């Protein structure tokens, strides 16, 4: 049976997570596309050779027979795009943007996966400790039922006191059964996120109680969110990509200039085609300048659509920033309140435990009612549960803040 700390759980999840692997494949595809985009500027070189044979034949209506003939040719050509209105360098910029977006997408997937592991890890530990809290409450109620029964047999308390204590014991046992099911579900969820068999046996290494996070400045964390949030970075890249597409559409209003150099030769004898290339082959240089005078409104339509999409992306970026600001402020506020509540819950727990001891002593002496004792027992259970929830909820909220700030 393995015992996993948080770091090892994250490592296992990164090795088994299919989303991470798919993101890596997207990066590899973007790298290949980046290489292919160089074709818009690199020269094109081609070579060809061909042969044709014609057998003897007599044309219709003629008595003259045409003899056999053959024809052989070879050529080598190089063509180069010189200027196309900026289309080629914008295509290169767009492919680089796609590669950067894929790389960032892979990191964003890792951040989301790490957050999922942390949330499940801390949730499972919280359920383990809550089960332990309820187990102690069951044991306490069982001992208390036994004490009250003994006093009832001695006619020191009424049967109503015994029944009330048994009701509390029954409630605690029901809570224990429910918490067992919750614990089983959280364990299966963590195993699924880690990519391991849900039936495998493993334990988790519990963090110490003093591992709660220090409280940073709210503006400081927001600056990190603005600079490093995966969603914001991705949207900024999409805005930049759309601006590049506007430039590509604008290139349609410029002329294009290209040049090609050819070298070719032909002969009715195959050996002569390649035996004396220097004398038999012809050189040619072509310079081509073209400008589309009218494209049926296609250029203006494409330009308008590109500009509209660029503005849409900018508005979506503004909206996303506002939404993340609200989400961040809510998460930070809950985390700060939880962080500051932990010492309060620790004090409440100690006070509740001391109050239970006093209530037990007073009840044994007949100075307190059964309701006073039951209330003290419930206060202890609630204080213990609240402290456990606060400690792990604080860690979960801190993990969410780290994910918002783009930190693994």
């Amino acid at each position: 049976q393995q015992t996993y700390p948080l770091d090892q759980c994250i490592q296992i999840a990164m090795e088994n997570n299919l989303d991470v692997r798919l993101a890596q494949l997207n990066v590899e595809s973007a790298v290949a596309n980046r290489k292919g985009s160089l074709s818009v500027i690199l020269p094109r070189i081609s070579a060809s050779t061909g042969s044709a044979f014609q057998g003897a034949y007599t044309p219709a209506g003629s008595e003259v027979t045409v003899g056999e003939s053959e024809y052989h040719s070879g050529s080598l050509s190089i063509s180069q795009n010189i200027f196309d209105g900026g289309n080629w360098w914008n295509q290169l910029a767009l492919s680089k943007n796609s590669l950067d977006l894929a790389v960032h997408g892979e990191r964003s997937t890792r951040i989301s996966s790490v957050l999922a592991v942390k949330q499940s890890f801390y949730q499972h530990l919280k359920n383990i400790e809550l089960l332990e809290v309820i187990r102690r409450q069951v044991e306490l109620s069982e001992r208390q039922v036994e004490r009250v029964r003994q006093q009832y047999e001695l006619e020191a308390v009424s049967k109503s006191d015994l029944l009330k204590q048994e009701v509390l014991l029954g409630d605690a046992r029901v809570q224990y059964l429910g918490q067992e099911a919750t614990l089983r579900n959280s364990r299966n969820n963590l195993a699924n996120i880690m990519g391991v068999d849900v039936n495998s046996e493993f334990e988790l290494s519990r963090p110490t109680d003093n591992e709660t996070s220090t409280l940073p400045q709210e503006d400081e964390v927001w600056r990190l969110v603005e600079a490093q949030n995966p969603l914001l970075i991705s949207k900024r890249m999409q805005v930049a990509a759309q601006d590049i597409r506007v430039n590509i559409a604008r290139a349609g209003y410029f002329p294009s200039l290209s040049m090609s150099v050819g070298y070719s030769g032909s002969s009715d004898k195959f050996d002569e085609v390649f035996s004396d290339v220097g004398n038999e082959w012809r050189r040619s240089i072509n310079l081509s300048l073209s400008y589309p005078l009218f494209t049926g409104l296609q250029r203006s339509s494409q330009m308008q659509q590109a500009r509209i999409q660029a503005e849409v992306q900018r508005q979506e970026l503004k909206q996303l920033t506002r939404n993340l600001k609200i989400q961040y402020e809510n998460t930070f506020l809950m985390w700060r309140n939880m962080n500051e509540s932990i010492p309060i819950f620790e004090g409440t727990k100690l006070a509740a435990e001391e109050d239970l001891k006093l209530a037990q002593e007073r009840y044994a002496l007949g100075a307190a009612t059964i309701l006073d004792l039951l209330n003290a027992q419930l206060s202890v259970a609630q204080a213990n549960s609240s402290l456990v929830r606060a400690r792990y909820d604080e860690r979960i909220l801190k993990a969410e803040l780290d994910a918002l700030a783009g930190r693994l």
Side-chain angles (χ1 to χ4, degrees):
Q1 183 169 311
Q2 299 289 331
T3 299
Y4 297 137
L6 176 59
D7 291 343
Q8 190 171 359
C9 289
I10 293 174
Q11 180 182 354
I12 294 172
M14 292 301 100
E15 293 172 353
N16 298 331
N17 192 293
L18 295 179
D19 290 335
V20 173
R21 179 53 185 158
L22 290 175
Q24 292 171 343
L25 292 175
N26 288 335
V27 172
E28 295 176 7
S29 176
V31 170
N33 182 67
R34 172 66 172 164
K35 292 179 181 178
S37 67
L38 295 176
S39 63
V40 296
I41 184 57
L42 293 178
R44 296 179 178 270
I45 303 174
S46 61
S48 65
T49 183
S51 298
F53 299 91
Q54 177 67 56
Y57 68 98
T58 301
S62 173
E63 297 180 355
V64 179
T65 301
V66 179
E68 294 181 349
S69 64
E70 59 181 289
Y71 177 80
H72 307 278
S73 64
S75 66
L76 178 67
S77 65
I78 301 176
S79 61
Q80 174 65 56
N81 176 25
I82 299 176
F83 179 75
D84 58 1
N87 180 70
W88 68 264
W89 62 71
N90 283 301
Q91 289 289 352
L92 292 177
L94 186 61
S95 67
K96 183 180 184 303
N97 179 278
S98 298
L99 175 58
D100 293 340
L101 189 60
V103 171
H104 173 71
E106 192 263 348
R107 175 176 172 78
S108 178
T109 302
R110 287 183 176 273
I111 291 173
S112 300
S113 300
V114 168
L115 174 60
V117 173
K118 288 182 177 179
Q119 290 173 326
S120 297
F121 181 88
Y122 290 133
Q123 186 65 43
H124 186 52
L125 283 180
K126 180 172 71 173
N127 289 332
I128 290 174
E129 294 199 16
L130 287 176
L131 183 66
E132 179 64 18
V133 168
I134 299 174
R135 185 191 64 79
R136 292 197 300 266
Q137 179 66 16
V138 170
E139 292 179 350
L140 174 62
S141 297
E142 288 174 343
R143 292 194 300 268
Q144 197 62 39
V145 165
E146 186 60 29
R147 294 193 189 99
V148 174
R149 180 178 289 109
Q150 292 175 358
Q151 290 178 307
Y152 170 71
E153 291 173 353
L154 296 174
E155 298 183 353
V157 298
S158 66
K159 187 175 182 179
S160 177
D161 288 0
L162 176 59
L163 294 176
K164 287 183 175 64
Q165 188 65 59
E166 288 177 343
V167 169
L168 184 61
L169 173 59
D171 289 341
R173 286 174 173 170
V174 171
Q175 291 179 27
Y176 187 84
L177 294 175
Q179 187 60 31
E180 276 188 325
T182 301
L183 178 62
R184 184 167 52 254
N185 291 336
S186 66
R187 183 194 178 284
N188 291 342
N189 183 56
L190 177 58
N192 182 53
I193 291 176
M194 291 170 58
V196 300
D197 186 0
V198 295
N199 295 319
S200 61
E201 295 294 332
F202 63 87
E203 296 289 341
L204 301 182
S205 177
R206 302 188 186 187
T208 57
D209 293 342
N210 58 0
E211 286 185 9
T212 53
S213 307
T214 56
L215 200 63
Q217 295 295 324
E218 183 174 357
D219 293 339
E220 176 185 349
V221 181
W222 172 243
R223 285 193 293 271
L224 289 176
V225 174
E226 281 188 306
Q228 301 177 181
N229 180 266
L231 294 178
L232 283 178
I233 293 176
S234 177
K235 180 55 69 174
R236 292 188 189 108
M237 289 182 177
Q238 293 173 19
V239 171
Q242 194 57 46
D243 288 338
I244 294 173
R245 293 187 179 96
V246 171
N247 293 332
I248 292 175
R250 186 179 292 114
Y253 288 91
F254 292 88
S256 60
L257 179 65
S258 61
M259 182 182 69
S260 63
V261 178
Y263 201 38
S264 62
S266 61
S267 175
D268 56 359
K269 295 182 180 181
F270 183 80
D271 294 341
E272 292 180 356
V273 176
F274 299 100
S275 62
D276 193 6
V277 174
N279 294 323
E280 297 295 333
W281 283 37
R282 299 178 301 276
R283 302 173 182 84
S284 63
I285 298 177
N286 297 319
L287 193 63
S288 174
L289 178 66
S290 64
Y291 182 79
L293 296 177
F294 182 68
T295 62
L297 303 179
Q298 183 183 31
R299 284 182 302 182
S300 60
S301 175
Q302 290 176 344
M303 189 68 181
Q304 185 179 14
Q305 290 177 4
R307 285 175 172 171
I308 291 174
Q309 289 301 315
E311 183 61 24
V312 168
Q313 293 291 342
R314 286 186 171 82
Q315 294 301 321
E316 289 180 352
L317 175 60
K318 292 180 181 179
Q319 185 63 41
L320 177 61
T321 304
R322 287 195 292 264
N323 292 341
L324 281 175
K325 179 67 173 178
I326 295 173
Q327 179 184 355
Y328 163 74
E329 289 177 348
N330 292 338
T331 304
F332 187 90
L333 179 61
M334 289 188 294
W335 176 54
R336 182 176 60 189
N337 291 343
M338 197 64 65
N339 188 282
E340 295 174 351
S341 298
I342 291 176
I344 299 175
F345 284 130
E346 290 174 344
T348 301
K349 173 179 177 294
L350 294 176
E353 290 174 346
E354 183 63 25
D355 180 62
L356 177 60
K357 292 179 181 178
L358 295 176
Q360 289 173 334
E361 294 175 357
R362 292 196 304 270
Y363 183 76
L365 296 174
T369 65
I370 187 63
L371 292 179
D372 295 330
L373 181 60
L374 296 179
N375 288 333
Q377 290 179 246
L378 291 174
S379 295
V380 170
Q382 183 177 1
N384 285 325
S385 299
S386 297
L387 179 58
V388 169
R389 289 189 173 92
R391 284 172 175 168
Y392 286 106
D393 287 346
E394 187 272 340
R395 292 184 175 97
I396 292 174
L397 290 170
K398 180 60 168 59
E400 293 176 359
L401 284 176
D402 287 339
L404 283 174
R407 293 184 291 198
L408 288 170

